Amino acid sequence: MSLAGLALVLALGLAGPLLATPKRAGIPVAVGEISAGVLAGRTGLRWIDPGEPVLAFLASAGFGLIMLVAGSHVPLRDPALRLALRRGVLLALLTGALAVAVGYGVAALFDTGHALLYAVLFASSSAALIMPVIDEAKLDAPPVLATIVHVAVADTACIVLLPLAEQPERAGKAALGVLAVLGAGVLLLLVTREAAHRGLLTRMRKLSRRRHFGLELRVQLITVFALAGLAQRLGVSVMLAGFAAGLTLAARGEPHRLARQLFAVTDGFLGPVFFVWLGASLDLRALASHPRMIALAGALALGTLAAHGAAALARQPVALAVLAAAQLGVPVAAVTIGSRAGLLRPGEDGAILAAALITVATTGWAGARARGDAGLVAKPEAEELAAD
């Protein structure tokens, strides 16, 4: 891949901020970046080759960082989150139970034999997409915190369950890989806490700020890529490694300076590369050759929205229930694992990703709807709305 090619990918990524600028439209940045990739990739003009090794490598690194940032946004140290823990877990369990029922129904209807895979897809969520929407809309209320818990639990559980559901015959090996990555994450947390207790992190932070070394960012990148490398070695998605590293960062508290640096690297460089690459990887033309798979895409999208929308029966605001249905990482990992192992039927990979894109598109409506509800917006924003 040439530097000019990388410039093209980053230029296409500007579609995300451009489409997200009008607040009334409520289009998430990721939607614009994926759409630009679809236009320039396999489905559209074919300007970008998603199979190019360097681009695929950068996209994989970007995916890990996106999940790192998503995990770091989970407010584990917030006392209010503990109060919402019970409700959020109950919402995740309700969604999961419905996902299993709907998964078996869709698998039987389309005779694919992938009931467990569909159940995981229906139950999954995407902190990488949902947390930025919550932050941008300044949402802050007990139902929002319950949604954050729901998303975090669903993300973690589905990331762990995906390889077990997709390849039951490799369940033992996959489970060991998952446990190894999670164990490495726990070890990382213990080591960083001990370093903080001894004052090593404070001294490193002061030295880095005084000498402009960027040590915090370097150490964080080393840890997340080391976990991602371990995950790849064990046949586990880098999504799990990134999210585990992010939760570790959230548990010990993320310094504001490091947060800004991670934002710059992720949202300014590797994040757009991943989303454009993802869009370019989709071959939605293949769906035209398999009309049954088009129907499957619609069924998968409706099943996801139905499973998560049922949270409204538990008195969750509809906007938040729909917002929690947004999914990206798990479908991408499902297609990656399934394609490499030859598990998916012709056109099924496109159906899974097309359904995921439909759920991503709904985040714009859900975010705008939630922002218009003064009861869900943080107090300063609520006061502004009242003044208007």
Side-chain angles (χ1 to χ4, degrees), residues 301-336:
L302 288 175
T304 302
L305 293 171
H308 286 271
L313 300 177
R315 298 183 179 179
Q316 270 290 95
V318 174
L320 294 180
V322 173
L323 183 62
Q327 53 180 228
L328 188 62
V330 172
V332 170
V335 168
T336 301

Side-chain angles (χ1 to χ4, degrees), residues 31-50:
V31 172
E33 293 168 345
I34 293 172
S35 300
V38 170
L39 178 63
R42 289 174 177 166
T43 301
L45 302 173
R46 300 181 186 272
W47 290 348
I48 298 175
D49 177 13

